[in-house]
Amino acid sequence: MINDVMYSLNDSRSDATPIEPELMGDKVGEVKFTMSEQACSDHVVQNGDAAFLPVGTSVYELKGYRAEFRVVAKGRMYQVNDNPKAGTMGDLMDIASKVEKISLESGNDGSIIGDFTEEATSEFVNELLPLPYVGFDEVYKKAKHDYGIFLRVYLQDGTSMRMVYYPKANAFSAGAFGTERLNELIVTQRQRIKSAAGM
């Protein structure tokens, strides 16, 4: 945790390739405590704590993104998991004007089934970013028995991230409840993509 922001390794599609040193910006923090095999079950996470990174590991900005969204440590990209200071999804995720496309992912093996149209991708981002950020815990209360639609958001720098949408709860695992238009958009794009794929 750095500056009250919790990060986690971005998923394997984006974090397998080490981040080149020229993409690293200013130092934003340093690991002061490694929790694995040390922290008690009642440990309260504090700034400088890390799950597995060794004490003394430096944490840097990732150029092109706000440090509240993505940072680099030991050559790997970490992405925000929770930011209590975020008021909206746009505050949480620094992706405005950076989305290349959105794809529908298989919930079974993570393979790509198909892509949203260009217009639907643009509308999705425009509807998503103003949503109030409530955090995963609030979403989980309503979505815990819901099935998830797996989306992959591709950014212009070649990285991507998975986003899970729960249609019955109209909620995103990243920590927000959607609008009626977002629900309609995702459900109709999913139907179109699956139909085109013969599913």
Side-chain angles (χ1 to χ4, degrees):
M1 183 164 73
I2 302 289
N3 297 323
D4 300 326
V5 179
M6 293 282 291
Y7 299 90
S8 58
L9 270 176
N10 195 18
D11 59 69
S12 57
R13 286 178 183 248
S14 288
D15 66 26
T17 304
I19 301 296
E20 298 298 327
E22 60 267 20
L23 294 178
M24 293 163 51
D26 294 336
K27 182 175 175 178
V28 294
E30 185 175 296
V31 176
K32 297 175 182 172
F33 180 73
T34 303
M35 296 188 295
S36 64
E37 299 179 10
Q38 293 189 57
C40 300
S41 59
D42 60 351
H43 176 76
V44 177
V45 180
Q46 301 175 42
N47 284 315
D49 286 358
F52 301 104
L53 292 171
V55 172
T57 301
S58 295
V59 181
Y60 300 91
E61 294 175 336
L62 177 61
K63 288 183 179 175
Y65 296 98
R66 295 191 312 261
E68 293 83 11
F69 176 56
R70 283 180 168 176
V71 294
V72 180
K74 292 188 81 68
R76 300 183 80 185
M77 178 176 64
Y78 289 76
Q79 188 166 291
V80 64
N81 195 18
D82 179 50
N83 181 357
K85 298 174 186 171
T88 66
M89 291 295 279
D91 295 335
L92 184 75
M93 299 187 296
D94 184 13
I95 62 171
S97 304
K98 297 174 183 174
V99 176
E100 183 72 31
K101 67 177 180 177
I102 296 169
S103 301
L104 179 68
E105 252 187 13
S106 166
N108 296 325
D109 61 10
S111 61
I112 299 300
I113 300 170
D115 301 332
F116 280 30
T117 65
E118 190 174 326
E119 295 78 14
T121 293
S122 178
E123 188 175 0
F124 175 92
V125 175
N126 290 338
E127 286 278 327
L128 176 75
L129 296 183
L131 297 177
Y133 174 66
V134 299
F136 175 75
D137 290 345
E138 288 302 309
V139 165
Y140 182 71
K141 290 175 188 175
K142 290 193 176 181
K144 59 185 171 185
H145 300 298
D146 202 347
Y147 72 94
I149 295 175
F150 295 89
L151 306 175
R152 177 143 306 264
V153 180
Y154 288 92
L155 303 183
Q156 293 167 355
D157 65 358
T159 62
S160 68
M161 59 185 182
R162 175 185 270 186
M163 188 176 291
V164 183
Y165 175 70
Y166 302 103
K168 292 179 182 175
N170 192 8
F172 294 89
S173 59
F177 293 100
T179 60
E180 286 185 21
R181 178 56 188 149
L182 262 174
N183 178 272
E184 179 186 16
L185 187 68
I186 295 167
V187 169
T188 56
Q189 286 297 305
R190 178 176 182 260
Q191 289 171 343
R192 181 189 64 79
I193 290 167
K194 292 188 83 169
S195 177
M199 300 172 73

